[in-house]
Amino acid sequence: MYSTLMPLPATFEFPVPSFFNVFHNPTDSLKLERQLMKVPFEIFSEIASQRIIEKQTENVADSVAHATKKNMSEADALSRLGSLLSRLEELQMKIMENNSRQEMELEIIMKRLNHLQVLQFGGKEIEAKWKQMHVDRILVDYMLKSDCFDAALKLAEGSDIQELVDVKIFLDAKRVIQGLRNRNCSEALAWCAENESKLDNSQDSFEFKLRVQEIVEFLRNHQLEDAVNYAQEYLVPWGDQYKEDVEKVMVAFAFDNCAKCDSCKMLFDLNKWDALIGKFKMEFMRLHGITQEPSLIYHLTAGFICLKTLGCLDRECPIEDPLFEDDIRQLGARLPFWPHRRTKLVCYITKELMTLYNPPLILPNGYAYSKKALNEMASLNNGEVTCPRTGFRCNLRELSVAHINRF
């Protein structure tokens, strides 16, 4: 299932970390990994909740206590014991199932923790692999939040990162979204029942909106009796909390053609289904600790801010500048400029700024490092320098200077 991908958002105000230089500054990268660990912990906490099991155990204990106070025949006592035994066996199966699910979630948590540890312990090959996995994770997250579930699943399987992305829970959400697109609230109401204790019903209840939509569909199909019965059972309990909204729904019962009534038009607008899908996504992500915006948006935004300097507007803007192209420049049109007029170059070896007095020297393989770093390296190796990224070796005399203007 494919849909329109999310556009770039308006300006974000946040510090711009060095996203891909993770091995030199792991702390910055870990700030973006909250969702990676938050989601499995939320699922584990939900499974580990003992409220349901404790409630069922108390019910069984109450039944036993109640039975002991009655004078029952042997047949009735055996029947009662058989019923209690069946309930206990069901409870045991539930506990075993929960334990199995807990173990699975703990494995996922451990795998994600091990994945993050690579930020601090790893060589060049592991670093390159981690970066590729990081990019794949960002793309999968973007696809999931754009409802491209099939594409996300294929990418996760092809990259072998199923345990590092949240495809499984999004596939559970897919059923609800598909049901709402088919104008059916059954799956969404079932989801509300499963997460009743976690849903926020204080101000803008998702379940209440679903109940109203159910009544609207009954009225749209001229099923007045069904609408009345449904309202009495499911809408009346919300009367005190949503008095005005309930009154608006009640008005719809007074008209034969509700869709033409000015006060009821909004209720019968088919765009209400899209609003329900948006509300479900918001509640779903909040419950699981998932960010509303795809992480790709934050990475692209930060990247554009770093590239977007005042120099991009100059006539002499070099063709090598990514923002030289109008199409690319338009993508970052709403973002602020980087405070420096020109992008600063930092030496990979010394981490010092490269300037007119310490210019970058370009190796034959295309990599560039500061003059200071390469001169020090050459003085220790009989005039030879080695590229720290590729291992390429050459003589210092083979290097060319990259001239820097107006830093």
Side-chain angles (χ1 to χ4, degrees):
M1 181 169 60
Y2 297 89
S3 66
T4 304
L5 296 179
M6 297 181 179
L8 276 172
T11 300
F12 284 97
E13 295 183 1
F14 56 86
V16 185
S18 178
F19 291 109
F20 292 99
N21 197 15
V22 294
F23 283 83
H24 298 290
N25 197 357
T27 303
D28 283 338
S29 295
L30 290 175
K31 291 176 183 178
L32 297 175
E33 301 299 344
R34 180 178 182 274
Q35 179 178 322
L36 181 71
M37 300 308 305
K38 179 69 173 177
V39 174
F41 271 117
E42 286 292 330
I43 297 174
F44 179 82
S45 300
E46 180 182 348
I47 298 171
S49 176
Q50 299 297 318
R51 289 193 300 272
I52 297 177
I53 294 177
E54 289 175 358
K55 185 176 180 180
Q56 292 178 347
T57 304
E58 289 175 1
N59 290 339
V60 172
D62 291 341
S63 298
V64 173
H66 184 68
T68 56
K69 296 179 181 179
K70 288 187 175 181
N71 294 323
M72 292 185 291
S73 64
E74 182 179 350
D76 290 340
L78 289 173
S79 175
R80 178 63 66 88
L81 287 173
S83 175
L84 291 174
L85 182 61
S86 297
R87 291 172 64 181
L88 287 172
E89 288 176 347
E90 291 178 3
L91 184 58
Q92 183 184 25
M93 292 294 295
K94 180 70 174 176
I95 293 173
M96 293 175 62
E97 180 184 346
N98 280 3
N99 289 340
S100 177
R101 291 176 60 195
Q102 284 179 357
E103 290 177 1
M104 292 175 60
E105 290 303 322
L106 280 175
E107 288 181 5
I108 292 176
I109 290 172
M110 290 305 301
K111 287 180 179 178
R112 295 191 177 191
L113 284 173
N114 292 334
H115 174 70
L116 292 181
Q117 286 181 345
V118 178
L119 292 172
Q120 297 177 339
F121 310 102
K124 295 297 182 182
E125 293 183 2
I126 296 178
E127 175 183 349
K129 182 179 179 181
W130 191 94
K131 289 180 179 179
Q132 183 58 54
M133 294 172 68
H134 186 66
V135 172
D136 291 338
R137 283 173 43 219
I138 292 172
L139 293 176
V140 169
D141 175 71
Y142 180 65
M143 293 174 184
L144 290 173
K145 291 176 181 176
S146 299
D147 296 348
C148 301
F149 302 109
D150 296 336
L153 181 59
K154 289 180 180 179
L155 178 56
E157 291 175 347
S159 303
D160 194 23
I161 56 172
Q162 295 94 319
E163 291 83 5
L164 302 178
V165 291
D166 304 312
V167 174
K168 183 179 179 181
I169 62 170
F170 272 93
L171 290 179
D172 293 337
K174 178 183 177 181
R175 299 197 310 272
V176 177
I177 294 172
Q178 191 61 49
L180 294 174
R181 283 182 176 155
N182 294 333
R183 301 181 187 177
N184 188 318
C185 296
S186 300
E187 290 288 349
L189 287 169
W191 181 83
C192 288
E194 292 174 3
N195 299 276
E196 182 180 3
S197 61
K198 294 184 177 181
L199 288 175
D200 182 12
N201 295 325
S202 59
Q203 296 179 345
D204 191 22
S205 171
F206 177 54
E207 182 182 354
F208 175 74
K209 293 179 182 295
L210 292 172
R211 298 299 183 186
V212 170
Q213 194 63 40
E214 289 273 81
I215 294 173
V216 168
E217 293 307 309
F218 281 129
L219 294 175
R220 196 194 307 274
N221 296 321
H222 307 289
Q223 298 173 271
L224 183 59
E225 184 176 352
D226 291 333
V228 171
N229 294 335
Y230 192 93
Q232 289 176 340
E233 183 174 358
Y234 296 109
L235 202 62
V236 171
W238 298 88
D240 294 337
Q241 191 173 357
Y242 295 96
K243 183 179 179 181
E244 293 184 3
D245 294 316
V246 171
E247 289 176 351
K248 290 179 182 178
V249 177
M250 293 299 102
V251 170
F253 283 87
F255 297 90
D256 292 333
N257 194 341
C258 308
K260 292 185 178 180
C261 171
D262 291 337
S263 60
C264 301
K265 280 183 179 180
M266 290 296 294
L267 286 174
F268 289 84
D269 189 346
L270 292 178
N271 289 330
K272 286 286 186 180
W273 289 105
D274 294 331
L276 285 174
I277 292 174
K279 177 64 175 174
F280 167 72
K281 289 181 179 180
M282 185 171 65
E283 290 288 343
F284 169 78
M285 293 181 188
R286 182 183 65 81
L287 258 60
H288 290 91
I290 301 173
T291 58
Q292 295 290 330
E293 294 287 349
S295 59
L296 176 63
I297 298 297
Y298 294 98
H299 286 77
L300 286 179
T301 300
F304 270 112
I305 293 175
C306 291
L307 291 172
K308 189 176 179 182
T309 66
L310 293 174
C312 298
L313 303 178
D314 293 345
R315 293 180 180 178
E316 63 269 22
C317 176
I319 193 172
E320 294 82 5
D321 192 325
L323 296 182
F324 177 83
E325 297 291 338
D326 289 337
D327 292 339
I328 298 179
R329 187 179 299 180
Q330 289 175 10
L331 289 176
R334 293 177 293 172
L335 299 175
F337 286 96
W338 188 249
H340 303 287
R341 187 167 182 80
R342 290 285 186 271
T343 301
K344 292 185 177 181
L345 298 179
V346 177
C347 178
Y348 180 85
I349 299 174
T350 65
K351 304 300 181 290
E352 294 179 359
L353 192 66
M354 290 188 279
T355 66
L356 290 172
Y357 308 101
N358 184 28
L361 299 182
I362 304 175
L363 279 67
N365 65 351
Y367 286 87
Y369 306 97
S370 69
K371 180 179 180 180
K372 176 183 175 182
L374 294 177
N375 281 340
E376 291 178 355
M377 186 185 299
S379 65
L380 299 175
N381 295 281
N382 298 321
E384 286 192 343
V385 295
T386 303
C387 177
R389 295 174 180 173
T390 65
F392 176 83
R393 297 173 64 89
C394 66
N395 193 280
L396 184 64
R397 292 174 295 182
E398 299 179 51
L399 310 185
S400 57
V401 179
H403 296 284
I404 302 176
N405 294 320
R406 294 192 302 169
F407 264 77

